[in-house]
Every structure is written in C-alpha cells, then in structure tokens.
C-alpha cells in the first residue's frame, strides 16, 4: 500500500474551535509556568528497557538538581518496581522538603487504593487520576456513553477524597486528566472536568490540578491554543484550578503547542527532558525553558551543565539525544559554513562584556550552558577563513592578520580536500605549526648588534647573527634602520635570495613569565609573496624567526612547483 493521491478519502482535517475573540496571539510570556517532569513515569513507560531503581534514582536526583519542584515519579499500581521506587523515595527520605512527588493512576478502585498505599508516610503528594474522554475511546474501547464517562470520573474522584481524608498526615493535591483531551469535544471535556471539581471542591488556597493533554496531536498548535483558551474561560471554579498542559509531539509541534497553551491561559507544563515519551515523545521541557531564557525570562531551572544532564538522560533512558536537538545536541552551536563562521568571528570581535547577546546564528551563549566556544565553529570542506581564524584565536590566542587568514585557509582547504575529514581546533593548530615551522625554526643567535649613523646622519643598526637554514649554519651580517631590516639584508646576501618585508603584525600570547610574542611578517621572497610566523619570549627573536619561516616556506613552495613541473 502506498500513500494516497487523495488523502481526504481517509483522513479529515481537524475542526477549528472558531474562537473569534481569542487573546493568546498577543500574549507575551514574562514568567515561567509551573514545571512538572514526567520522565520517571510517562518517559519511563516509553522506553524499550524501562529504568531499574538505580537509574530511576539517578534520574530523580538529576531532576532535583535542575530545580524541578514537582516530579511524577511513577505509576505505582502498574508494577512492583514502580511501587518499590515510590516506597524507597519515602522511606529513605530522598525527597527534599521543597519537592512534591506525583503518581498516576487509572480510574479503577483497586488501582487507586494501591496508589494511595504506596504514598504512606509522604509529607506531600500529588495523586493524578485519569480516564479517557474522546469519542473513539468512549465508543470503541470503553463502550460507555457520555453519562457513563462522567459517572466513572465522579465515582473515582469521590474515592480519592475519601481515602485522602483517612490519611491527614499527608498534604494531598488532586490532579485530573481527561485523557485524549485533544480529541474530545470541548463542551464534554468541560462537563467531565466540572463534575470532578464539584466533588473535590478546591479553593483558591488549596487548588486542584486539571491537566489537559494532547495525548495525540491532531491539530496545528493554534487550534490547540484555542482549545486551551476556551477551557480557561469556561471551566467552573477556575480560580481554584491550576490549569496544566501535557503536550505530545505527534505532529512535531509539541514545543509550539506548549508555549501557545501557556499564552492561552495554562499555568503548568508537564513534559520530559529532551522530549522522551511514547511515539514521537512528550513536550521537551528543556526546549521551552531555554526558549524563555533567550527571551530574558529566568525559567527557574538550571541547565548550566547541559552536557552532563544529557549524559545522565542517555544513560537512564538508553536512548541517544540527536546531535541536532535544540540547545543540547552535539552540533547545535556549530557552524561549518564559511560565511556563517566569518559572521560569528566578526560579531565576537565586536562584542564587549556586558553587551546584550546579539550574535549571528547563535540564539544563546553556549557558555551559559557549560559548552565551550571550541564547538561554535568546526572546520570541514565547506568552511572558510573566518572559522579557521576564530578557532586559532579563541583556543590558542593567535590573532591572524586578514591576508594571513586568506593564505592559511588555502593550506587548511588543501588538507581537508586530501583527507575529506572534519578538522578540530587542535588539528588546525597542528597544521599551522607545521606550515609555518614554529616547532622547527630556531631563533637566530645574535653575535653583535650596534647602533650608529650612516654618512647621511640616519640612525642604523648593524647586526651579526648565526642562522641555521635547512641544516646549514650561516653567519650573516647586515645593516638597516632596525634589527629586522639589518637581518633581512644579511640573510638575503648569505642565502642568495631577494627578501623584502611588506607588512608586520605582532601581539602577545599569555601573560607574566609565560608570555610569548608572536610576529607575522608578510614577505616578498623572489617572485613570491607569503607570510612567515615566529614565536618567542623576545619580540625581536620572534620577528627574526618569522623571516626565516617565510624564506623556508618560499623555498619549499619552489621545490613543489619544480616537482609538479
């Protein structure tokens, strides 16, 4: 069977709500929602291999460290390991005083009683009741009328209230989900929810949670937002309800649906780290939290070491996080494109400490999440001089002049073309050292340097030095208006080459006793124009090394031309 040429014969477009006076499009998110992680329940049930207790404990502690105050820790009536984990958290006093655990149960009496039993001794707990409400579930799965669904919800809501009253030592919060709300008629969803809150009688001082899940995403996020705003407006006892949203990601729009739902009146979001969950996953809470952060809103969750959080999640879930996953993927702060790299390099150079973050291609500063700038630009065959120069500067302090950037980028490109592989900052640095002989060229040793005046009264420098050139020791002597010109004159005579300095740049790398001077000299050697680079604790020695570096590169290039000819 193949895709249908006319899918309308099989599928129907979701019916819009038609909320003409909707307010959510103009809403601005200025504070975070109440966050509830469901990694240990909804996320766990979606795993090929559900977490064992050690992995559950690792995940729980990570969620606490991030700052979650409400954590759905399991479905204790579903299996013994789920029950035992809840008991361990309580009996071993692993729940911080400011954290409330949440557990889920179906609307069935024996499951509810088992669930409350698992919570014995808890200081605080959210008990989450659900039953399906959508037409397909009523008709096909449950075989109940609308009245039957309401009666099911009400009966079990009463049981919640009864059992909780028998255990006043625990501070109880009730939560109700009309499962498959995203596929339920709004008037009926309201009817069921109102019937439940009529039983529970929440107050503004002691609210209940009404959770509206997009159990399956059926519509575009704007329609889901209309559904949330409709419920927000029409629910009875709204001032006594925490309106919670639980988006799934079947259409790939879970993040948008969650954000728009909060704009439409929601107070709370349930989801998982990096969006793990059944089918295409739950709402990615990291994504939403860091979206807020990049808008200047403190999300109340700490992702300062996002790579470590990813490692924990991958270990606990036994699932990899995609390298392009928002904010956490290995490659999300990486630019391979030469034009992108050049723009990033220029923007970093122009930015001052304390500036508002306005950076091409980077919506967030990677260092805020514990990522290094080394990952910002990585070099492959699509890369350009800007990225190469940025890596050398950010990782090794080498500030290449513009024309040297152009020259060296061609060297790197040749290496890339030969290998076809990506180069790291370390790889590029090694190519730079090798190309400019920084580990090979020894500093010329001065034997004498004298200052004087020539016949015209111009101050001159006479320099005598020993140079090792291609394994041969040369004694040189030259004169000029400074040590560099004097050295060039003496070296040109001794080596039998025409050498001229066209441009000169230098800067320091490091500080204090470990400081090094780096000199970049653009030279004309015979018919070739090229750079030499030298590094030394002494700036004059660094400059003389750079001249030797350029001469050796010119000779090497001439040999390559002769060989190819």
């Amino acid at each position: 069977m193949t895709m249908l040429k006319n899918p309308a014969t099989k599928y129907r477009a979701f019916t819009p709500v038609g909320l003409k006076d909707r307010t959510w499009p103009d809403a601005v998110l200025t504070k975070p929602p109440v966050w509830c992680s469901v990694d240990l329940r909804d996320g766990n049930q979606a795993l090929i291999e559900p977490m064992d207790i050690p992995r559950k404990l690792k995940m729980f502690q990570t969620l606490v460290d991030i700052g979650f105050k409400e954590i759905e820790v399991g479905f204790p009536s579903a299996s013994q390991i789920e029950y035992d984990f809840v008991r361990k958290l309580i009996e071993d006093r692993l729940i911080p005083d400011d954290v409330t655990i949440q557990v889920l149960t179906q609307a069935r009496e024996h499951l509810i009683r088992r669930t409350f039993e698992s919570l014995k001794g808890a200081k605080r707990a959210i008990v989450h009741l659900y039953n399906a409400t959508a037409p397909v579930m009523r008709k096909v799965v449950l075989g109940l009328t609308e009245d039957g669904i309401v009666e099911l919800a009400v009966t079990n809501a009463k049981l919640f209230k009864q059992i909780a009253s028998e255990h006043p030592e625990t501070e109880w919060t009730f939560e109700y989900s009309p499962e498959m709300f995203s596929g339920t008629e709004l008037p009926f969803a309201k009817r069921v929810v109102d019937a439940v809150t009529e039983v529970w009688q929440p107050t503004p001082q002691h609210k209940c949670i009404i959770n509206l899940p997009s159990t399956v995403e059926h519509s575009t996020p704007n329609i889901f937002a209309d559904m949330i705003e409709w419920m927000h407006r029409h629910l009875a006892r709204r001032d006594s309800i925490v309106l919670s949203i639980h988006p799934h990601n079947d259409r790939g729009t879970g993040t948008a649906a969650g954000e728009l739902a909060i704009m439409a009146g929601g107070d709370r979001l349930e989801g998982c780290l990096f969006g793990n969950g059944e089918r295409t996953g739950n709402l990615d809470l990291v994504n939403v939290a860091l979206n807020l952060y990049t808008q200047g809103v403190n999300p109340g969750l700490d992702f300062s070491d996002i790579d470590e959080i990813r490692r924990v999640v991958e270990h606990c879930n036994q699932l990899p996080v995609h390298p392009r996953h928002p904010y956490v993927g290995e490659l999300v702060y990486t630019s391979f494109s030469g034009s992108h790299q050049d723009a990033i390099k220029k923007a970093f150079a122009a930015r001052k400490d304390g500036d508002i973050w306005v950076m091409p291609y980077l919506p967030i500063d990677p260092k805020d999440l514990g990522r290094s700038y080394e990952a910002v630009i990585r070099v492959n065959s699509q890369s350009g001089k800007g990225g190469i120069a940025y890596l050398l500067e950010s990782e090794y302090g080498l500030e290449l002049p513009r024309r040297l950037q152009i020259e060296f980028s061609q060297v790197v490109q040749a290496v890339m073309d030969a290998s076809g592989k990506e180069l790291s900052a370390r790889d590029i640095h090694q190519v730079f050292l090798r190309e400019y002989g920084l580990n090979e060229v020894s500093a010329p040793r001065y034997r004498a340097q004298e200052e004087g005046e020539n016949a015209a009264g111009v101050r001159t420098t006479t320099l005598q030095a020993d140079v090792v050139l291609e394994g041969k020791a040369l004694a040189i002597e030259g004169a000029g208006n400074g040590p560099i010109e004097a050295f060039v004159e003496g070296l040109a005579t001794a080596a039998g080459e025409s050498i001229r300095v066209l441009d000169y740049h230098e800067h320091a790398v490091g500080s204090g006793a470990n400081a090094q001077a780096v000199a970049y000299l653009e030279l004309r050697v015979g018919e070739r124009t090229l750079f030499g680079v030298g590094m030394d604790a002494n700036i004059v020695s660094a400059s003389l090394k750079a001249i030797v570096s350029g001469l050796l590169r010119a000779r090497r290039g001439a040999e390559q031309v002769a060989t190819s000819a």
Side-chain angles (χ1 to χ4, degrees):
M1 186 173 179
T2 58
M3 290 181 66
L4 303 174
K5 296 188 182 303
N6 181 16
T9 62
K10 187 173 184 177
Y11 302 98
R12 289 288 182 266
F14 195 84
T15 304
V17 176
L19 196 66
K20 301 303 181 186
D21 57 344
R22 61 181 64 85
T23 62
W24 61 261
D26 295 322
V28 177
L29 298 176
T30 58
K31 64 178 183 178
V34 176
W35 305 105
C36 178
S37 160
V38 296
D39 289 86
L40 288 161
R41 199 280 301 169
D42 203 349
N44 186 53
Q45 74 182 37
L47 301 179
I48 300 169
E49 180 187 339
M51 287 179 255
D52 55 18
I53 285 183
R55 282 191 286 157
K56 282 175 175 282
L57 288 171
K58 182 71 172 176
M59 177 68 81
F60 179 77
Q61 187 57 54
T62 297
L63 295 169
V64 169
D65 292 343
I66 290 169
F68 285 98
K69 304 306 179 186
E70 296 182 1
I71 302 172
E72 191 166 77
V73 296
F75 200 149
S77 65
S79 71
Q80 190 62 45
I81 191 172
E82 293 282 290
Y83 184 95
D84 290 345
F85 178 63
V86 176
R87 294 308 308 152
K88 184 172 183 63
L89 291 177
I90 296 169
E91 292 171 3
D92 290 358
R93 301 184 183 279
L94 300 175
I95 307 166
D97 289 342
D98 61 348
V99 172
T100 302
I101 61 170
Q102 174 175 309
V103 292
L104 182 73
T105 178
Q106 291 172 300
R108 299 171 65 182
E109 181 176 351
H110 72 286
L111 300 181
I112 292 171
R113 291 191 180 279
R114 175 75 166 164
T115 300
F116 273 93
E117 180 186 302
S118 75
L119 294 168
K120 184 178 179 181
K123 181 180 179 181
R124 280 190 314 276
I126 299 168
V127 193
H128 184 180
L129 174 70
Y130 78 95
N131 62 275
T133 58
V136 66
M137 298 297 287
R138 299 196 306 258
K139 298 172 184 176
V140 177
V141 179
L142 300 175
L144 292 174
T145 63
E146 290 186 5
D147 290 345
I149 293 293
V150 173
E151 178 60 28
L152 177 66
V154 166
T155 298
N156 289 287
K158 289 177 179 177
L159 184 59
F160 260 48
K161 196 168 183 179
Q162 174 199 321
I163 299 175
S165 68
E166 297 167 1
H167 300 278
E169 69 279 7
T170 298
E171 182 183 327
W172 301 105
T173 297
F174 299 154
E175 176 174 352
Y176 175 69
S177 288
E179 189 196 13
M180 297 190 71
F181 163 78
S182 50
T184 301
E185 312 94 318
L186 289 176
F188 182 61
K190 168 182 160 53
R191 180 186 169 194
V192 177
V193 170
D194 286 350
V196 169
T197 61
E198 174 68 25
V199 173
W200 286 344
Q201 287 295 304
T203 66
Q205 293 73 39
H206 189 197
K207 298 182 179 183
C208 72
I209 300 168
I210 296 301
N211 186 56
L212 302 179
S214 60
T215 309
V216 178
E217 274 198 311
H218 293 299
S219 69
T220 50
N222 62 304
I223 294 177
F224 185 67
D226 278 353
M227 296 172 70
I228 299 301
E229 183 162 342
W230 191 94
M231 292 290 283
H232 168 62
R233 292 185 191 184
H234 291 90
L235 284 178
R237 292 167 283 276
R238 179 64 183 92
D239 64 346
S240 301
I241 291 171
V242 175
L243 192 60
S244 179
I245 317 298
H246 184 117
H248 278 240
N249 197 43
D250 300 272
R251 293 170 54 90
T253 56
T255 295
E259 290 178 331
L260 297 188
I262 296 300
M263 294 163 65
D267 305 308
R268 181 178 186 263
L269 284 178
E270 293 189 347
C272 292
L273 299 178
F274 314 130
N276 179 49
E278 293 280 15
R279 305 181 308 277
T280 56
N282 289 287
L283 172 69
D284 180 354
L285 295 182
V286 183
N287 198 345
V288 179
L290 292 178
N291 284 354
L292 286 171
Y293 182 82
T294 63
Q295 302 301 301
V297 178
N298 185 342
L301 299 175
D302 186 0
F303 297 106
S304 297
D305 191 355
I306 202 166
D307 286 343
E308 176 59 24
I309 294 169
R310 183 190 69 213
R311 284 190 284 270
V312 170
V313 171
E314 289 181 330
H315 166 72
C316 292
N317 290 344
Q318 300 291 291
L319 291 172
V321 174
H322 195 280
R324 297 291 182 189
H325 200 100
Y327 295 112
V328 69
E330 180 187 353
L331 299 177
V332 294
Y333 305 114
T334 302
S335 288
F336 291 105
S337 160
S339 61
H340 289 200
Q341 293 174 353
D342 190 56
I344 291 170
K345 179 181 182 297
K346 289 175 179 174
F348 266 117
R351 188 174 186 275
K352 299 180 180 63
D353 287 343
D355 285 355
I356 292 295
W357 184 260
V358 181
M359 188 67 58
Y361 310 110
L362 290 173
I364 193 171
D365 185 346
K367 287 202 170 178
D368 287 0
L369 305 181
R371 300 286 284 266
S372 76
Y373 288 148
E374 182 175 2
V376 169
I377 293 175
R378 288 161 64 169
V379 178
N380 65 12
S381 60
Q382 302 299 311
S383 304
K385 58 186 179 296
I388 295 165
Y390 173 80
L391 287 179
L392 288 177
E393 182 174 348
S394 63
E395 299 301 318
Y396 297 98
L398 298 171
E399 303 170 13
L400 274 58
R402 181 72 172 175
R403 287 194 296 278
L404 177 53
Q405 292 179 27
I406 296 170
E407 177 186 280
F408 183 57
S409 70
Q410 295 169 349
V411 175
V412 173
Q413 190 67 49
V415 173
M416 288 297 312
D417 290 343
S419 69
K421 296 180 180 178
E422 175 191 348
L423 295 184
S424 66
R426 183 179 182 278
D427 294 333
I428 294 169
H429 186 235
Q430 291 299 313
V431 173
F432 185 79
L433 297 179
R434 184 170 63 249
E435 176 65 23
Y436 294 94
L438 290 172
N439 291 334
E440 302 168 11
V441 176
S442 57
R445 187 165 57 86
Y446 306 109
R447 285 188 284 111
Q449 180 178 332
E450 297 177 0
E451 303 291 334
E453 294 183 357
N454 62 17
V458 177
R459 293 188 63 80
T460 61
T461 297
T462 301
L463 182 75
Q464 295 178 340
D466 295 322
V467 179
V468 177
L469 196 66
E470 297 176 321
K472 297 179 180 179
L474 297 178
I476 69 169
E477 182 175 348
N481 60 11
I484 293 176
E485 186 174 300
F487 183 77
V488 166
E489 182 190 73
L491 182 62
T493 300
E497 300 275 5
S498 169
I499 306 172
R500 186 158 54 97
V501 176
L502 304 179
D503 201 3
Y504 173 89
H505 300 267
E506 59 89 11
H507 66 82
V509 175
S511 59
N514 295 321
Q516 293 274 297
V518 185
Y520 310 98
L521 273 71
E522 188 174 17
L523 306 169
R524 183 74 173 175
V525 181
E527 299 300 315
R528 294 194 65 196
T529 299
L530 77 173
F531 275 85
V533 181
M535 183 180 292
D536 197 274
N538 179 283
I539 182 57
V540 173
S541 294
S543 301
L544 304 190
K545 281 184 176 181
I547 295 166
V548 175
S549 163
L551 175 58
L552 290 173
R553 291 187 67 238
R555 288 186 170 184
R556 190 165 65 240
E559 290 171 1
Q560 291 170 350
V561 170
T563 301
S564 62

